[in-house]
Amino acid sequence: MYTTYNLFDNLLGMRNFMNNFFTEIPSSSRVREYPYINLYEKNDIINITVIAPGLKVADLNLELINNSLIIEGEKKSDYQDKPYIRKERKFGKFKKSVKLPFKVDENDVKAEMKNGILTITLNKSEDAKPRKIEVKE
């Protein structure tokens, strides 16, 4: 039995390989935006934990804009006059936007910083809560 060899198929395969090679970044080398967050929802509450070691409350600014939480601040260097032997942490200004899964009550927001972890609690607004519709006979 004969099999056919198609050079065109091999060229397309090579092109796809090269496209993937240059466009896909390996997961171990992906850069993530600082600060790192966890967002979870339970009932009508969104809890966001932000890992922010070394930050002080005065260095943070939180805002709710168009159903997004903006986390902004500056991570200041802890060695002012001493040179580093090894430096793996980044310093400087940062800004991160977190899209919220539903509209929240802007007047009922709690934020607390403890041991380098910022905890933000947001409650679902009354407009976003489901309403039962009564059907008449």
Side-chain angles (χ1 to χ4, degrees), residues 44-45 102-108 122-132:
D44 292 337
I45 297 173
F102 48 75
K103 189 173 179 183
V104 297
D105 184 359
E106 296 174 0
N107 298 319
D108 192 11
L122 304 155
N123 291 309
K124 188 183 274 192
S125 74
E126 291 298 321
D127 295 342
K129 291 182 182 178
R131 291 183 209 132
K132 184 167 174 78

Side-chain angles (χ1 to χ4, degrees), residues 6-64:
N6 190 344
L7 179 63
F8 187 68
D9 288 340
N10 285 350
L11 288 174
L12 286 177
M14 180 62 104
R15 184 189 70 176
N16 291 337
F17 173 77
M18 294 304 284
N19 282 341
N20 291 338
F21 181 79
F22 288 108
T23 58
E24 293 181 8
I25 301 170
S27 62
S28 62
S29 65
R30 284 190 184 140
V31 177
R32 294 192 174 131
E33 294 178 18
Y34 181 85
Y36 307 124
I37 69 160
N38 289 330
L39 183 143
Y40 58 95
E41 173 188 355
K42 186 174 183 181
N43 299 328
D44 292 337
I45 297 173
I46 297 175
N47 286 309
I48 300 172
T49 54
V50 181
I51 300 172
L55 283 178
K56 295 179 173 80
V57 174
D59 298 331
L60 285 170
N61 183 32
L62 302 175
E63 293 181 344
L64 280 172

Side-chain angles (χ1 to χ4, degrees), residues 39-106:
L39 183 143
Y40 58 95
E41 173 188 355
K42 186 174 183 181
N43 299 328
D44 292 337
I45 297 173
I46 297 175
N47 286 309
I48 300 172
T49 54
V50 181
I51 300 172
L55 283 178
K56 295 179 173 80
V57 174
D59 298 331
L60 285 170
N61 183 32
L62 302 175
E63 293 181 344
L64 280 172
I65 301 173
N66 294 333
N67 209 32
S68 292
L69 175 69
I70 310 297
I71 304 168
E72 188 175 11
E74 183 175 3
K75 188 173 181 183
K76 295 179 181 170
S77 176
D78 51 358
Y79 290 105
Q80 298 297 332
D81 299 324
K82 302 174 188 172
Y84 286 100
I85 294 172
R86 181 175 178 154
K87 179 183 165 195
E88 294 184 355
R89 296 183 298 152
K90 293 184 179 180
F91 299 100
K93 293 184 180 186
F94 62 88
K95 186 174 187 177
K96 186 169 195 168
S97 175
V98 180
K99 182 77 172 153
L100 301 173
F102 48 75
K103 189 173 179 183
V104 297
D105 184 359
E106 296 174 0

